[in-house]
Amino acid sequence: MRFNGGFVRRRHILASYRFCKAIGLFALARRLTRSDLRILCYHGFVLDDEDRFRDSLFVSSDFLDRRMSYLYNQGYNVLPLAQAVERLRDGTLPPNTVTITIDDGFHSVHAIARKVLKRYNFPATLYLTSYYFEKATPIFRLAVDYMCWKSPRRTVDLSDLGITAFAEARALEFTPDIREWVSAQIYAHGAIELDEPGRVTLSQKLAELLDVDYHHIAQSRMLSLVTPDEARDLQRSGIAIELHTHRHHFPDCPAAAHGELMDNRAAVEPVIGRRMEHFCYPSGRFSEAHSAVLRSNAVKSATTCQSGLAHAGSDPLALPRILDDNRVSAIEFEAEMSGFVELIRRWTRKLHRPAAIIPCLDLMGTHTEALVFI
C-alpha cells in the first residue's frame, strides 16, 4: 500500500494540535497573545456549488456560522476594524480582540454573511472592489473559469468563438489541463480585445458550447458583486465598506496605484455617503512602494494575506490576517485563534531557522489567487 506523505504528515500535525490543546497550551497561548489583534479574512459564500469550484474563496453559511459560534462561545471581543486598529495603536485593545474582514464584495456577502453576522451581532468590514460593482455583470474571469470547470463535455468545438488560439479547435479533449488553458486564452482575449458587453456576449456563447447555463450564473448572482442598494444595506447592518481598488489590481507604479484608489472611491463613496479610510491589498500582494501611495491618500490601515496576529508594533499599512476557508480544519482554526501558531512563528523567527510545523500551515497562508477584475 502506498501512502501520501503530505496527508500522513498533516494527520500528525492535527494530532499534535489536539494534544497541545488537551494539555492547555492553546489556553496558555491565548493568555500570552491576549493583547494582539486577530483579523479574520473571508471572501465569498455559497449560493450554489462555488465551494466545489473554488474551496479557497467560497464557504457555506453553516461553515461561517460554526466559526462565528466559536468566537461567541469562547468570549472573543469582536470589534469593527476601524476601532480595533485605533485601539491597537493606542494600547487600549480589549483582551483577545477579533475583527472580521471580507474581501471583494460578492453578492453572497449580502445574501448569506449579513444574516449570519447579525445572528451574533458581530460587526465586519467589506473591502469592495468596484469595477463589477458598477457593471453588475458576473466577474468575467471567474465566470469563464467556472464554466470551463463546470462543463460536462469531454470534447469541445471552440472554433466558432472567434479566438485565434481556437481556430482549429474542433475536437478538443476537455481534460483538466485543457480546461485551464482554454480559460486562460478566453480571459486574455476578453481582457485585451473586448469591452464588458462583448465579454458578456462571449461568455454566453462559451456557455452554449460547453453546455453550461450562463443565465443561471447571471440570475443567481453567484459570481456577481453587491449592488449599490445592497452596499447601503450592509452598512446599515454593521458591515463597513472600505477600499479594495477598482479593478482588483494595485500596480507598483505610484500613479497607476493612485488611480486605482481614486476610481474605487469615485464608484463607492457616493453610494455609501462617507470617506473610505481602510484598504486591503488585492490578492494580498504589496510592496514598500505602496506605502507612500496609501499615506498620500490618507489611508489609515491596510491588510495583507500574510498569516499572523497584529501587535502594537505592527505596520498599520501591512497588517497580517488569519485566512479562513474550507481547507482549514476546526482544530487549525482554534490553533490560529488561540495564538498558538503565532507563538511558533515568533519563536521560529527568533531562532532563525524553519520550524517543522510551519509548512503545514500554508492552508492559512497567502493562497488567494491574483485575480484582476478588468
Side-chain angles (χ1 to χ4, degrees):
M1 180 181 295
R2 297 179 63 184
F3 292 94
N4 183 311
F7 175 75
V8 172
R9 189 182 185 196
R10 178 171 167 76
R11 286 182 59 188
H12 288 163
I13 292 296
L14 299 183
S16 71
Y17 280 171
R18 295 186 187 98
F19 174 75
C20 290
K21 178 184 177 182
I23 64 173
L25 292 184
F26 281 20
L28 175 61
R30 180 168 168 172
R31 289 197 295 273
L32 292 174
T33 61
R34 61 187 179 275
S35 61
D36 295 337
L37 174 60
R38 294 143 169 86
I39 306 177
L40 271 173
C41 171
Y42 296 97
H43 289 81
F45 305 90
V46 176
L47 295 171
D48 192 337
D49 57 358
E50 303 97 309
D51 54 338
R52 291 197 293 118
F53 162 60
R54 287 284 190 277
D55 61 357
S56 64
L57 287 180
F58 299 96
V59 300
S60 69
S61 174
D62 288 344
F63 180 100
L64 183 63
D65 187 81
R66 288 194 299 272
R67 297 305 207 222
M68 298 303 102
S69 177
Y70 173 82
L71 298 181
Y72 183 85
N73 292 330
Q74 294 297 315
Y76 285 92
N77 292 296
V78 181
L79 295 183
L81 174 73
Q83 183 184 147
V85 169
E86 182 178 354
R87 296 187 67 173
L88 177 68
R89 181 198 63 202
D90 295 343
T92 61
L93 200 67
N96 301 299
T97 294
V98 176
T99 191
I100 300 163
T101 64
I102 306 171
D103 294 5
D104 304 332
F106 288 100
H107 162 65
S108 56
V109 178
H110 184 269
I112 302 294
R114 175 178 60 96
K115 298 174 184 177
V116 175
L117 293 169
K118 185 176 181 180
R119 192 175 302 148
Y120 296 94
N121 197 29
F122 285 168
T125 293
L126 172 62
Y127 295 115
L128 179 59
T129 186
S130 48
Y131 180 88
Y132 283 99
F133 173 69
E134 290 186 319
K135 298 298 182 183
T137 55
I139 297 168
F140 176 65
R141 184 171 182 179
L142 280 180
V144 171
D145 282 350
Y146 177 81
M147 290 188 288
C148 288
W149 167 81
K150 181 80 169 177
S151 175
R153 294 192 178 276
R154 295 186 177 181
T155 61
V156 294
D157 180 353
L158 303 177
S159 59
D160 289 336
L161 278 181
I163 298 175
T164 302
F166 305 146
E168 304 299 324
R170 300 186 184 281
L172 273 179
E173 185 180 356
F174 218 31
T175 64
D177 287 344
I178 293 297
R179 290 170 190 252
E180 290 185 12
W181 176 76
V182 165
S183 181
Q185 295 299 316
I186 294 172
Y187 170 71
H189 175 80
I192 297 169
E193 303 293 339
L194 304 175
D195 58 10
E196 187 58 24
R199 289 189 281 269
V200 171
T201 299
L202 177 60
S203 297
Q204 293 169 335
K205 191 169 185 178
L206 177 67
E208 292 178 8
L209 296 174
L210 298 184
D211 196 19
V212 177
D213 188 352
Y214 183 79
H215 179 75
H216 172 69
I217 296 171
Q219 289 300 113
S220 68
R221 299 179 58 207
M222 58 189 289
L223 301 177
S224 299
L225 300 190
V226 295
T227 65
D229 283 345
E230 288 169 345
R232 285 187 284 264
D233 197 25
L234 288 172
Q235 282 225 134
R236 287 191 291 268
S237 68
I239 300 178
I241 311 296
E242 296 292 352
L243 294 159
H244 198 35
T245 75
H246 187 59
R247 299 164 187 83
H248 204 263
H249 176 55
F250 202 43
D252 288 331
C253 169
H258 173 79
E260 282 293 324
L261 293 177
M262 292 299 97
D263 289 348
N264 199 190
R265 279 184 160 141
V268 180
E269 287 182 349
V271 172
I272 63 174
R274 65 168 181 81
R275 185 75 165 171
M276 297 189 293
E277 299 178 318
H278 300 272
F279 177 74
C280 173
Y281 297 99
S283 303
R285 295 183 175 182
F286 70 102
S287 69
E288 291 294 328
H290 290 141
S291 296
V293 176
L294 295 176
R295 290 192 182 96
S296 69
N297 282 277
V299 171
K300 294 182 177 179
S301 78
T303 53
T304 71
C305 288
Q306 290 187 332
S307 297
L309 309 186
H311 54 84
S314 295
D315 182 352
L317 298 182
L319 295 173
R321 290 190 290 177
I322 299 172
L323 277 66
D324 190 22
D325 60 48
N326 296 290
R327 301 171 298 173
V328 181
S329 68
I331 191 66
E332 287 171 305
F333 183 73
E334 291 184 42
E336 283 281 4
M337 295 306 299
S338 69
F340 179 74
V341 177
E342 178 66 8
L343 291 180
I344 292 174
R345 292 190 189 100
R346 293 176 185 177
W347 292 335
T348 298
R349 287 193 289 269
K350 287 182 180 180
L351 292 174
H352 299 291
R353 62 181 176 83
I357 200 169
I358 294 300
C360 293
L361 300 173
D362 286 345
L363 291 172
M364 308 282 286
T366 55
H367 62 266
T368 54
E369 298 175 68
L371 294 176
V372 177
F373 296 172
I374 303 169

